[in-house]
Amino acid sequence: MSISATPASAHWNGTGQLIARIGLYPYNYNDTWQKPMNKALANWNATSSPADIYKNRNSGSTITVKSYRNTWYGHYTRCGDSCLYIKLNSRTINRDASNFSNYVTGVFVHELGHALNLAHNSTTSIMNSSRNRDTMTKPQSHDVSDVNAYY
């Protein structure tokens, strides 16, 4: 019996950045937020993908943490070929996190996945909307494969 794999392209959203090297304007929050946010960058950069996410004072890409009225945890928006905005919702994260640091890291890794052209999916993936945000903090092998296939 043969099992056919879903092509990686089925999980691309096509609204991410043109290249996997992404500069972010340096964000500055208290250590409760800063450390897990920095860990999210390190988690993508440690993969065998072309992801290279770094802080750059000349970048127009921003990360904002504040309390939004909406029900989402994070939101990614493309603002140009090399520009992005990511919002992290402190209201929903504070409300639902059992492990705050992991939750922040996992949500930010997920939003960076959108910046790397990844769409939501239902596999074992950081892009699975039903994943356990208290424990899944790193891109999974499926995520890395999709990024490698895209770039």
Side-chain angles (χ1 to χ4, degrees):
M1 180 163 122
S2 167
I3 299 173
S4 64
T6 302
S9 61
H11 299 292
W12 297 340
N13 68 16
T15 62
Q17 304 310 120
L18 294 181
I19 61 172
R21 183 170 163 77
I22 300 171
L24 304 173
Y25 191 81
Y27 44 82
N28 187 18
Y29 293 98
N30 64 44
D31 276 352
T32 303
W33 285 90
Q34 188 83 16
K35 286 181 180 181
M37 291 168 71
N38 288 343
K39 179 99 174 166
L41 274 60
N43 286 354
W44 266 114
N45 291 338
T47 67
S48 61
S49 78
D52 180 15
I53 305 166
Y54 61 98
K55 296 177 185 177
N56 180 339
R57 291 205 175 277
N58 296 321
S59 176
S61 297
T62 58
I63 311 305
T64 305
V65 176
K66 72 178 213 180
S67 180
Y68 297 95
R69 295 177 67 179
N70 305 53
T71 58
W72 44 260
Y73 298 108
H75 188 267
Y76 160 81
T77 305
R78 181 176 190 254
C79 54
D81 291 347
S82 59
C83 179
L84 63 89
Y85 303 132
I86 292 178
K87 297 176 184 176
L88 300 179
N89 191 344
S90 62
R91 184 181 66 81
T92 54
I93 291 172
N94 281 316
R95 179 192 70 202
D96 295 342
S98 295
N99 183 322
F100 181 82
S101 182
N102 282 356
Y103 217 91
V104 171
T105 299
V107 169
F108 196 17
V109 167
H110 174 93
E111 296 309 321
L112 290 168
H114 287 308
L116 292 166
N117 283 287
L118 299 181
H120 291 143
N121 63 53
S122 58
T123 63
T124 302
S125 167
I126 198 71
M127 301 311 294
N128 184 329
S129 296
S130 299
R131 73 195 180 283
N132 184 332
R133 289 172 179 83
D134 284 311
T135 59
M136 188 177 289
T137 62
K138 296 179 179 180
Q140 304 298 295
S141 60
H142 180 79
D143 306 311
V144 173
S145 295
D146 280 358
V147 170
N148 285 334
Y150 189 86
Y151 294 100

